[in-house]
């Protein structure tokens, strides 16, 4: 007996019309639909006249349920995976099931469709040529700080997901880490009646939401660090100390004088000869 297929099906992120004809057909044809929240998905499936058996597949049963679903597919059943909104696996359950299905030699195919990060990126007006997607920032302060620190010098556009109750804290931390002047587009209620894509600086966004209550789910599209911003930061950092003080600071990190001058030359884009001349003065 040949085994079934796992279909990863993207579903709407708000507007029910945003689902592909292929996804609707596959959802009608499969033997079983695995959904993050079966009650939530029932509404969408009823809307499209889909009445297949539903099983839950969420963060808390992802290992046991994946094993069970793999077993069903090995017996020849076709399974579709959907999440509450958008593309499964993207900040949603699904990864474990895909890995286990592939390991078992089950064909896996993905039916493309809505994804909040792509929707936000395309309407933000911020460069979409190169970007990094961080999903939700970690909850733990230490882990958040590590992620934010790693984003400080990121030259590519940064895309984050955020829930309304954490938006204020996130905007404040982003402002502190990336600087208030950085461009951001706050995208909320995408594809819904009150869709909004608000362009601002991080400073403006943080001030706005200090007054205004965040509502709905957000995607933050943030401009990457420009070469000019980096140059400007380096220039003011250079001017904040004398050349000797910079040298001492570098050497206090355990570098020899020669290594410190080499590192300073690279960091501040100053030739080594110029640095030696300045230090001799
Ligand atoms: N798998 C989904 C996707 O493909 O985009 C993401 C699921 S994740 C659990 C939910 C987050 O996606 C929300 O907190 C929000 O950041 C973002 N999101 C989902 N739908 C959205 C919408 N209509 N407008 C703005 N953001 C949305």
């Amino acid at each position: 007996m040949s085994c079934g297929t796992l279909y990863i099906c993207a579903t709407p992120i708000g507007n029910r019309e945003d689902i592909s004809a292929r996804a609707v057909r596959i959802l009608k044809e499969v033997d079983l639909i695995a959904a993050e929240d079966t009650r939530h998905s029932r509404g969408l499936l009823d809307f499209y006249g889909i009445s297949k058996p539903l099983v839950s597949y969420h963060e808390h049963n992802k290992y046991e349920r994946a094993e069970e679903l793999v077993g069903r597919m090995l017996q020849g059943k076709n399974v579709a995976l959907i999440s509450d909104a958008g593309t499964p696996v993207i900040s949603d359950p699904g990864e474990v099931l895909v890995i286990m299905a592939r390991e078992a030699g089950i064909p896996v195919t993905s039916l493309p469709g809505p994804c909040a990060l792509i929707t936000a990126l395309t309407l933000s007006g911020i460069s979409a040529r190169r970007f990094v997607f961080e999903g939700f920032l970690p909850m733990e302060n230490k882990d958040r700080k590590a992620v934010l620190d790693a984003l400080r010098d990121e030259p590519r556009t940064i895309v984050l997901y955020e829930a309304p109750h954490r938006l204020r804290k996130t905007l404040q931390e982003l402002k502190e880490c990336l600087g208030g002047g950085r461009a951001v587009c706050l995208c909320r209620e995408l594809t819904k009646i009150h869709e909004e894509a608000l362009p601002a600086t991080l400073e403006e966004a943080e001030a706005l939401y200090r007054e205004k209550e965040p509502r709905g789910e957000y995607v933050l599209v943030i401009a990457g660090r420009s070469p000019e911003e980096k140059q400007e930061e380096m220039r003011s950092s250079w001017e904040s100390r004398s050349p000797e003080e910079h040298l001492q600071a570098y050497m206090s990190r355990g570098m020899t004088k020669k290594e410190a001058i080499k590192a300073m030359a690279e960091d501040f884009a100053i030739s080594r000869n110029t640095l030696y001349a300045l230090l001799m003065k």
Side-chain angles (χ1 to χ4, degrees):
M1 192 198 351
S2 60
C3 66
T5 295
L6 173 62
Y7 296 92
I8 308 300
C9 287
T11 57
I13 55 169
N15 188 322
R16 278 188 171 168
E17 289 174 349
D18 294 332
I19 185 165
S20 75
R22 184 174 164 222
V24 172
R25 177 176 60 79
I26 292 293
L27 289 167
K28 283 183 174 166
E29 287 175 4
V30 289
D31 299 291
L32 193 65
I33 300 171
E36 192 181 359
D37 177 343
T38 53
R39 271 202 2 221
H40 173 95
S41 292
R42 183 55 73 198
L44 177 77
L45 298 175
D46 285 351
F47 184 77
Y48 282 99
I50 300 164
S51 56
K52 289 289 167 174
L54 274 175
V55 293
S56 69
Y57 181 81
H58 49 68
E59 198 47 39
H60 306 291
N61 68 0
K62 60 184 178 187
Y63 295 105
E64 314 88 84
R65 195 40 69 81
E67 238 170 69
E68 200 182 307
L69 291 168
V70 164
R72 304 281 290 268
M73 288 185 278
L74 287 173
Q75 288 164 1
K77 302 288 183 207
N78 291 314
V79 173
L81 174 71
I82 59 177
S83 62
D84 286 354
T87 303
V89 182
I90 305 300
S91 295
D92 262 346
E95 198 170 290
V96 170
L97 179 60
V98 171
I99 292 170
M100 285 171 70
R102 293 183 72 88
E103 277 171 6
I106 293 164
V108 181
T109 188
S110 186
L111 280 57
C115 185
L117 89 97
I118 300 297
T119 310
L121 197 56
T122 55
L123 59 73
S124 68
I126 293 178
S127 175
R129 200 174 73 79
R130 297 165 74 224
F131 64 92
V132 284
F133 173 58
E134 277 294 337
F136 293 98
L137 288 177
M139 305 262 214
E140 288 287 321
N141 281 338
K142 189 164 85 38
D143 302 336
R144 280 173 83 85
K145 188 175 178 316
V147 173
L148 287 166
D149 282 347
L151 290 176
R152 199 184 298 275
D153 289 338
E154 177 57 64
R156 293 167 293 183
T157 295
I158 301 162
V159 188
L160 299 177
Y161 281 168
E162 196 48 281
H165 62 281
R166 279 200 301 269
L167 184 76
R168 284 183 173 139
K169 176 175 160 74
T170 297
L171 286 176
Q172 194 193 339
E173 290 174 357
L174 285 167
K175 186 184 98 173
E176 276 162 24
C177 180
L178 307 179
R182 192 72 72 87
V184 59
C185 185
L186 295 114
C187 303
R188 56 183 280 274
E189 300 284 277
L190 295 172
T191 78
K192 301 181 192 176
I193 295 170
H194 299 294
E195 173 175 291
E196 183 181 59
L198 182 76
T201 61
L202 283 174
E203 171 111 52
E204 290 163 350
E206 197 257 343
L208 174 74
Y209 277 103
R210 233 182 291 140
E211 304 297 323
K212 188 175 157 182
E213 192 62 38
R215 273 184 211 286
E217 303 292 297
Y218 288 78
V219 183
L220 305 181
V221 182
I222 306 158
R225 190 186 195 202
S226 67
E228 296 76 29
E229 194 183 336
K230 186 169 181 177
Q231 265 172 12
E232 177 52 31
E233 251 176 51
M234 279 303 155
R235 194 187 57 74
S236 58
S237 160
W238 176 251
E239 287 172 359
S240 68
R241 287 172 168 175
S242 70
E244 293 75 18
E245 283 167 333
H246 278 296
L247 182 68
Q248 286 310 321
Y250 275 70
M251 288 175 70
S252 69
R253 290 191 233 151
M255 294 184 200
T256 63
K257 186 172 178 184
K258 196 172 164 200
E259 287 166 345
I261 289 178
K262 184 168 179 274
M264 281 166 67
E266 275 169 18
D267 288 352
F268 297 109
I270 302 174
S271 81
R272 271 188 256 180
N273 284 345
T274 310
L275 272 178
Y276 276 115
L278 285 168
L279 289 162
M280 294 294 272
K281 264 196 198 163

